[in-house]
Amino acid sequence: MSGWRGDDASEPVRRQFESIDRFSIQQSRLAYRMARSFGFTGVLGAAIALLIPGAVDGAALVWCYLTLALLAASHVVIARYPHGLSVVAVYAVGIICLATVGIAAGPEPSPSASAAIVMIAGWGVGSIGAVLSSTWAQVILLVYSIATTVTIATLLGADIGHEVALSAPVLVGLGWAVTTIFGLWLTRANPRVMNRISSIGATYLIERRASEAEAQRHRDARLLHDTALATLTLLAHAGRGVDDAAMRDQAASDRDLLRRLREGESPTPRSSGAYTLTHTAELQLSGTLEAVKARFAHSGLEVAWHGSGQLGLEQSRLDAFILALTECIENVRRHAGVDEAHVTLSDDGTVVRGVVTDAGIGFDPASIAGSSLGFQQSVIARTQDIGGTVRVFSAPGAGTTVVLEVPK
Amino acid sequence: MSNPTGGIDPSLGLEWQTDRVRRAGLRETSLLTLNTSQLGVGLGLAGGILFLHALWRFLDHLGEFPRLPLNLASWAILFVTVALVTVALRAAGFLFSTKLFWAMVSSLTAAAVLDFAAIWQHVGDGLYPTSAIAVGAVLLGASSLRPAREIVIASAILGAGLTLGVLVPGPAEDQLGPLLMFLVLAIVPPVIAASILGSYRRHILLALDRVLTQSAIAAPVVLTAGVLGSAELAELDHEVEELFDDVATGREPLPLTPERADQASSLATDLRRHLVAGHQNTWLSHAVSESEFLSDHVTVDDAKGLSARLDQLQRDGLLSGLWMLMSSAARMPATARVSLVERKEQPRSDVRRVLIAIDVDGISRSRVEAITWASLRRVGRYTDTATPLGLRVDIETEVPPPSEQQR
């Protein structure tokens, strides 16, 4: 496997924390937006309640609305500039608003005016409860704010009924309780969730490296895959043309190699079943093969050599063999309608074998036998001249495999 | 009601992450507890307080209700509903099914209707709805277990019902203010909770996606198969092994059936594709294709694999910048195109200048967070220009020439 760049594992993890910080900021903005939502609700509720006849007089209503508008504006500010100063601004404007509405409603406010005062104190100002629970300083400010608004609402006589459950302190406290709990929930949940996410990220990173290393190991097993592919190709033609017992032996041998790979070994087989395995690079004739490959690349056909063994043929027969192979590839280029051909070479000590495979349109070998003079002469005759045989496996739509075998 | 001990939110959309996290060797439960352990607690508590307040008001006036049996029936329905739903949720592992939710909503509606019937035209006597307001508290408690949309719909139904119930009997002007306040107390908390939860869930998913995608930048310099490709190759090898096993042991008759032969042929094709073409993608393509957030909206044009030559700091900057550009347009369908080309004239021989162009359609520069530019600066010198459809960022950066590439 290739080395990892920046092998220091802490690096990516550290950056994960950076990106998590950004999400923490977003979450805290969310709390401020929540404060704005509660604040708007309180202001809007109070505005409607003050409109109800009997709440406040006409001229005083204008002053009330002015301060309510100011309070709404401070809530816009708090969501836009999530900062302690904005919180203080909301509180200050809220107290002014409470005082104005209280004066306008008179010493004994009507139930509607009381409802307006309670809504301003509980949510208009109490909305800041949503953002006042992360530090001790904030909690002190929170307690102070609750105490002052509850006191003001009580002094203004904003009780809706005579019973305790409808008294100003209880209702205002209820408003503060809801916003504060919402805020607490958001701030407490955040770090834990983010910790878990980052631990998932760290685990995933490790897993990713392992799985890519594993893939690399699979990919490095080139020779193994070459024989597996050759066997698969034979099986793709239902295994016809090959002796049954030999086919099964080959499959068993390849299966064992794949199993060893799966179980964590990196098998480097010298042979599998009937195939002797060697890297293409070790082939004496690799230069020749590269030349053939380059030639077809010019005409738009990609030739992939799957190397297997040095071909133990004397030069003249080898040349004929390669020529026959090249003609097969030429046929792929002309007829198959694909841009890729695979050639697998092997030498098992008694037979030199070349398999040319494509995934093209295919044809029915029976219909073409004898009639295709070009193939007859260029491939079959040439191979037979050096004592070899040619077998063609194909069916319309199923690609074509040509197997050339030359005994040594 | 939601329960502090846990609960699975079917709406959270974590399903698509589950696969990746499972691959990361984590149990699904640990993913699900991401949202469950914390989400419900606060909301349930707030709902509980509102519920208790409504109950308190009811008990205060117990002797004054003109049609007490109706009030009692209403509260009884409420308690039974909450109890049954809690038991059902526990049994179902805190999966709140759609059926159960709407059954709960209709039962709550019945309780509210009974409550209004009980005080019909008696509001003037200082009697206000009690259990009808507590219905809102129950909805609030359930809000972490259902999609935001449904909570909003249920709250809207409750709100419309309460408004009608309040206004139709024609209450005295004096009572309108308090009634309005109760209405707000019943409707608003669930709606705010639902909307905040929606954003909260989106943030969690984005954070998770970001963290998982981030791991791609640690890929080696050589082209890799990515996590998805790696798993596929291993699976492919296993399938081939099984086919060979069937043939070797004689379970499969020779010659093979056409189906099995077809399977062998397609396995061979896939295997070749993986072995030959598996190296085509750089970390950037993997990061983009693995990210649910980016994959549908970002195309990478990097034919020469130049992104693989960026060092890790540059990679991080590029991915973060791209990610934040896209997330600043999260509400709009933004699309981005990233292309990397080598500059034609290379003033120095020891480094290669690479031009990275990021075209983003559908965002405006003012929406881009400042931190985005800090990330992009880590990649190299950048200039940004407004385009008719959005924004274009050009980055010029330096990478080592291929020969010096560490492998």
Side-chain angles (χ1 to χ4, degrees):
Chain A
M1 195 197 85
S2 307
W4 293 97
R5 210 152 174 206
D7 258 329
D8 179 11
S10 69
E11 280 284 292
V13 172
R14 186 180 57 75
R15 289 211 194 86
Q16 276 175 10
F17 277 110
E18 275 176 20
S19 58
I20 276 172
D21 279 347
R22 180 170 166 273
F23 286 101
S24 299
I25 293 169
Q26 284 192 339
Q27 300 281 48
S28 115
R29 290 221 174 119
L30 197 59
Y32 281 87
R33 286 223 304 278
M34 186 160 77
R36 182 185 58 185
S37 302
F38 276 116
F40 279 172
T41 309
V43 168
L44 200 65
I48 296 173
L50 287 176
L51 268 186
I52 296 166
V56 287
D57 296 335
L61 187 63
V62 176
W63 284 106
C64 294
Y65 266 51
L66 209 64
T67 51
L68 278 176
L70 214 57
L71 186 55
S74 71
H75 286 122
V76 174
V77 170
I78 204 177
R80 179 158 280 224
Y81 305 101
H83 191 267
L85 278 180
S86 314
V87 177
V88 174
V90 170
Y91 174 75
V93 176
I95 297 296
I96 295 171
C97 188
L98 267 181
T100 313
V101 174
I103 293 167
E108 282 191 18
S110 69
S112 294
S114 298
I117 291 172
V118 165
M119 281 192 273
I120 294 170
W123 277 359
V125 185
S127 63
I128 56 175
V131 293
L132 283 184
S133 49
S134 4
T135 64
W136 280 111
Q138 286 182 342
V139 172
I140 292 169
L141 187 58
L142 175 72
V143 172
Y144 172 76
S145 311
I146 295 176
T148 48
T149 48
V150 165
T151 313
I152 292 173
T154 314
L155 290 178
L156 290 174
D159 302 323
I160 286 171
H162 300 295
E163 60 271 37
V164 186
L166 286 176
S167 65
V170 170
L171 289 175
V172 173
L174 194 64
W176 277 97
V178 169
T179 58
T180 308
I181 291 173
F182 269 51
L184 261 176
W185 147 70
L186 206 56
T187 44
R188 297 289 148 183
N190 193 31
R192 299 190 198 188
V193 168
M194 288 303 146
N195 273 343
R196 169 143 297 142
I197 285 181
S198 90
S199 79
I200 287 178
T203 320
Y204 187 73
L205 180 66
I206 295 165
E207 181 60 26
R208 178 190 199 100
R209 291 185 171 186
S211 102
E212 291 200 335
E214 175 73 9
Q216 196 60 41
R217 204 168 57 76
H218 275 257
R219 200 166 290 109
D220 285 346
R222 283 293 306 271
L223 298 174
L224 190 160
H225 279 116
D226 284 339
T227 167
L229 272 172
T231 311
L232 268 181
T233 308
L234 291 176
L235 285 175
H237 298 288
R240 269 188 283 268
V242 185
D243 176 48
D244 277 8
M247 185 77 246
R248 290 192 201 287
D249 283 349
Q250 184 65 49
S253 152
D254 288 347
R255 174 204 59 199
D256 293 341
L257 285 176
L258 281 169
R259 179 178 295 155
R260 281 168 60 197
L261 181 68
R262 175 164 57 84
E263 286 168 354
E265 282 183 64
S266 292
T268 46
R270 301 301 297 178
S271 68
S272 171
Y275 297 108
T276 307
L277 305 172
T278 319
H279 269 300
T280 313
E282 295 173 28
L283 283 177
Q284 293 164 328
L285 37 73
S286 61
T288 318
L289 299 184
E290 284 308 313
V292 172
K293 183 185 169 105
R295 204 183 93 201
F296 282 101
H298 285 307
S299 51
L301 182 73
E302 186 72 24
V303 179
W305 294 104
H306 301 285
S308 301
Q310 305 185 352
L311 303 183
L313 293 176
E314 61 272 28
Q315 195 60 42
S316 59
R317 292 175 82 200
L318 185 64
D319 288 346
F321 181 72
I322 296 293
L323 271 175
L325 274 179
T326 314
E327 287 302 323
C328 290
I329 301 170
E330 177 64 19
N331 271 303
V332 172
R333 188 185 69 78
R334 273 196 244 151
H335 305 299
V338 290
D339 56 3
E340 198 179 33
H342 292 271
V343 184
T344 310
L345 300 176
S346 66
D347 179 354
D348 62 5
T350 54
V351 176
V352 172
R353 190 182 287 117
V355 182
V356 181
T357 309
D358 69 73
I361 54 173
F363 60 93
D364 182 1
S367 72
I368 211 159
S371 63
S372 173
L373 201 59
F375 187 73
Q376 180 69 36
Q377 286 196 333
S378 63
V379 180
I380 300 179
R382 199 168 258 148
T383 314
Q384 282 172 349
D385 280 352
I386 53 173
T389 56
V390 178
R391 285 180 292 162
V392 179
F393 308 94
S394 185
T400 305
T401 299
V402 180
V403 181
L404 307 183
E405 283 172 320
V406 181
K408 293 173 109 168
Chain B
M1 299 288 295
S2 76
N3 190 290
T5 54
I8 295 165
D9 183 359
S11 68
L12 195 53
L14 284 166
E15 294 82 7
W16 55 260
Q17 294 284 20
T18 317
D19 222 32
R20 294 166 76 188
V21 174
R22 195 188 299 123
R23 237 174 259 139
L26 298 167
R27 284 177 307 144
E28 281 168 56
T29 46
S30 73
L31 176 66
L32 289 164
T33 50
L34 256 185
N35 54 333
T36 54
S37 55
Q38 300 297 325
L39 282 187
V41 188
L43 298 177
L45 196 61
I49 290 180
L50 290 174
F51 189 91
L52 286 179
H53 182 251
L55 186 61
W56 182 14
R57 287 195 294 114
F58 169 66
L59 295 177
D60 254 4
H61 290 274
L62 201 55
E64 303 165 32
F65 286 107
R67 312 180 192 101
L68 189 60
L70 287 182
N71 292 86
L72 287 177
S74 169
W75 275 104
I77 290 179
L78 207 52
F79 273 111
V80 169
T81 306
V82 170
L84 284 182
V85 167
T86 310
V87 170
L89 280 181
R90 261 181 198 286
F94 290 92
L95 264 176
F96 208 158
S97 67
T98 313
K99 214 189 272 175
L100 183 64
F101 178 71
W102 290 109
M104 183 190 86
V105 169
S106 31
S107 173
L108 292 179
T109 312
V113 167
L114 278 177
D115 191 40
F116 276 110
I119 57 160
W120 196 255
Q121 295 190 330
H122 282 275
V123 174
D125 307 341
L127 295 176
Y128 296 102
T130 53
S131 59
I133 306 301
V135 164
V138 177
L139 269 185
L140 174 60
S143 58
S144 68
L145 298 176
R146 288 304 296 178
R149 200 164 35 85
E150 290 184 13
I151 298 295
V152 171
I153 292 174
S155 306
I157 294 173
L158 175 65
L162 288 182
T163 314
L164 282 179
V166 164
L167 291 181
V168 170
E173 282 168 352
D174 259 4
Q175 314 303 328
L176 276 176
L179 281 172
L180 173 74
M181 191 190 70
F182 288 129
L183 198 71
V184 167
L185 215 49
I187 311 300
V188 170
V191 171
I192 291 183
S195 93
I196 295 296
L197 275 168
S199 307
Y200 185 80
R201 287 165 179 159
R202 211 171 47 245
H203 284 171
I204 291 186
L205 284 187
L206 289 184
L208 195 57
D209 189 72
R210 177 90 171 81
V211 161
L212 295 187
T213 307
Q214 189 81 0
S215 65
I217 69 161
V221 175
V222 290
L223 305 177
T224 63
V227 170
L228 304 174
S230 306
E232 275 170 28
L233 180 58
E235 274 167 32
L236 213 51
D237 273 350
H238 196 208
E239 269 184 69
V240 174
E241 184 191 324
E242 279 171 352
L243 176 67
F244 285 172
D245 191 44
D246 286 347
V247 172
T249 55
R251 269 196 300 276
E252 236 5 274
L254 284 173
L256 292 180
T257 59
E259 295 82 47
R260 286 295 257 182
D262 276 354
Q263 190 205 353
S265 160
S266 67
L267 279 176
T269 310
D270 286 349
L271 202 53
R272 274 193 200 105
R273 186 169 55 77
H274 268 284
L275 295 173
V276 177
H279 289 275
Q280 298 295 316
N281 294 323
T282 60
W283 65 274
L284 184 59
S285 328
H286 292 313
V288 168
S289 66
E290 282 169 24
S291 163
E292 288 290 325
F293 176 60
L294 298 177
S295 58
D296 292 340
H297 308 289
V298 177
T299 48
V300 177
D301 179 12
D302 182 17
K304 290 188 174 170
L306 292 172
S307 61
R309 289 203 238 146
L310 298 174
D311 68 27
Q312 223 171 34
L313 203 65
Q314 290 170 321
R315 291 178 183 197
D316 182 59
L318 182 58
L319 186 61
S320 305
L322 186 62
W323 217 90
M324 284 187 271
L325 276 177
M326 296 304 286
S327 70
S328 63
R331 281 165 191 278
M332 290 179 274
T335 54
R337 203 167 45 260
V338 185
S339 48
L340 294 96
V341 287
E342 230 171 26
R343 254 181 66 163
K344 286 234 168 59
E345 71 280 13
Q346 294 285 354
R348 288 167 60 188
S349 59
D350 56 337
V351 291
R352 287 272 179 280
R353 294 247 167 112
V354 171
L355 298 176
I356 305 173
I358 308 176
D359 271 298
V360 195
D361 291 348
I363 64 166
S364 63
R365 194 188 190 285
S366 59
R367 284 188 60 95
V368 178
E369 291 173 49
I371 193 171
T372 312
W373 305 116
S375 289
L376 291 175
R377 201 170 298 125
R378 278 201 298 233
V379 187
R381 283 187 296 125
Y382 73 89
T383 51
D384 61 288
T385 37
T387 60
L389 290 174
L391 190 66
R392 179 189 169 96
V393 185
D394 289 286
I395 308 170
E396 182 171 340
T397 185
E398 293 182 342
V399 300
S403 54
E404 287 179 22
Q405 204 64 84
Q406 172 192 349
R407 278 184 60 93

